[in-house]
Amino acid sequence: MRGGLVVVATAFGVLVGAAGKAEAAGAADEPAAYRMASGATAVQGAGNSADRGPELKAGASTYTDSIKPKETKYYTVELDAQSSAYVSAVAVPKAGSAMGLRDGIDVSLQAPDGTQCGTVRHRSFLSVGGAYPVADYAERVVKPGAACGAPGSYRFVVERGDALGGDASAVPIELKYVAEPPQRTESTDTLSAPGAWSSQAPSRPPQGTAEGVTGGTGFNDAAELRPGTWRDELRPGDTRFYRVSVDAGEQLFADAEFGGADKGVPMVIGGVRLGLNNAARGFVMNKTTGYQGKPATVSLATPPAAYGGGAGGGGEVVRGMRFAGWYYLQVSLSPKVRQGARGAGVPVTLRVDVAGARKADQGVGRSQGSGGHPGGEGGVGGELVASAGTGPRKEWLRTIGYVGIGTGATLLLGLGVWTLLARRRDG
């Protein structure tokens, strides 16, 4: 009898052990959750505009909260009369979750009397392939005739949409406020108006053996990429973050080449994605394409960084490229991409280049300043990096800033031409 108990106990242990391994394997196959900033302060936004919400201080501090469907939250930020301000929200749906058609977040900045300080920015959770973190900022840019120029207490507002048809649970949000000191006239004088710049990538993208990298879960742990070729692996539902240092007057070119997967993967519209945000977490662009288990590539190209983004011209992409500093690439793989029982990932090759901007009529070929681009002197911990003209990267100022405001109508016309060229290229 005792021997029979031993056999039963042994068999039970084997079953429990197998179940434990299966559970662990299942957990390992789950997309990694967004990692909030270490030491972030938890706050609870006010539910009414008449109430003074918790104050978000400019600088290195990061704050966390959560927001329910159809909920609006208010926070307080103190603005002076000289500094431009950028207050961001990152909304983090559960990786791979399905969100409602009208769900997402709106961010805005309001004066005490309710005046909007610029445009309300909307970022939708809707992704045909699956939800991923979204981020943008509301801004107060100091310039003649602009709204909200007076110092005082302002309201940062985050509003969530309708979750009908999707996940109705509260979504974590990460909040950050960065302020830009008044512009130095001598720094803007060192940059000439760019004219019309090409959105076509250099003819020789980075080649050679790909270097292994594991992307981060968000802005706080993004992996640094230098110009070159990199290789990662994503599982269905994953979004990986990478940061790239971009100096004033440089353009960023990036390709994400998704490898083949197991047979039987259905066609997923928007199944792979390549997104870009700037150093203040402002939205720059988002590119997607379909995926059916066969190799697919998503590419992006930016206008020159730090030229005239605060002047209100050139569209959303130019607005997003207003800074020199870290730019954050995001690579996503839809949870609808099935890899069979093995749960294997999809290999992704990233080709990244940062190059001195080329004029639209310059033709293809390597642009100046594209070799040996160092990336170790960028801002850290949410700081932005302003370039003091076009000098060596080691002379960058570790302050909030952009360069090139007030360079005139020629600048805005050139950026408008770039936008037109980019739209034609994407079409």
Side-chain angles (χ1 to χ4, degrees), residues 227-264:
T229 304
W230 304 82
R231 187 177 180 85
D232 203 346
E233 184 175 277
L234 272 67
R235 296 162 298 183
D238 270 346
T239 292
R240 299 281 176 86
F241 282 69
Y242 314 85
R243 61 178 186 170
V244 182
S245 180
V246 183
D247 203 350
E250 292 181 332
Q251 294 177 269
L252 171 62
F253 302 94
D255 294 339
E257 302 173 2
F258 292 80
D262 291 344
K263 295 181 179 180

Side-chain angles (χ1 to χ4, degrees), residues 2-181:
R2 181 177 299 177
L5 290 175
V6 171
V7 171
V8 171
T10 302
F12 180 75
V14 170
L15 290 173
V16 170
K21 289 180 180 179
E23 183 178 353
D29 290 338
E30 291 297 318
Y34 182 98
R35 183 176 299 174
M36 296 289 181
S38 176
T41 301
V43 296
Q44 186 171 354
N48 191 303
S49 61
D51 297 332
R52 181 181 173 87
E55 182 178 355
L56 309 180
K57 295 183 179 296
S61 298
T62 305
Y63 303 85
T64 60
D65 199 351
S66 63
I67 191 166
K68 299 175 183 178
K70 296 185 178 181
E71 188 174 26
T72 301
K73 291 202 168 183
Y74 298 86
Y75 308 87
T76 299
V77 292
E78 296 292 334
L79 273 60
D80 61 27
Q82 295 82 35
S83 306
S84 293
Y86 308 90
V87 192
S88 66
V90 184
V92 189
K94 182 179 179 181
S97 59
M99 309 302 288
L101 294 176
R102 294 178 292 181
D103 208 353
I105 60 167
D106 290 351
V107 294
S108 60
L109 196 61
Q110 299 178 359
D113 62 359
T115 300
Q116 292 287 350
C117 306
T119 305
V120 177
R121 300 293 175 182
H122 174 72
R123 301 270 70 92
S124 174
F125 291 142
L126 177 61
S127 169
V128 178
Y132 47 78
V134 296
D136 208 346
Y137 56 57
E139 60 196 340
R140 192 286 299 270
V141 177
V142 175
K143 58 183 178 181
C148 304
S153 297
Y154 287 73
R155 291 191 294 265
F156 177 57
V157 186
V158 183
E159 182 177 3
R160 184 173 167 189
D162 187 345
L164 181 65
D167 188 348
S169 58
V171 168
I173 54 176
E174 187 173 57
L175 311 166
K176 195 167 185 62
Y177 167 27
V178 294
E180 175 188 44

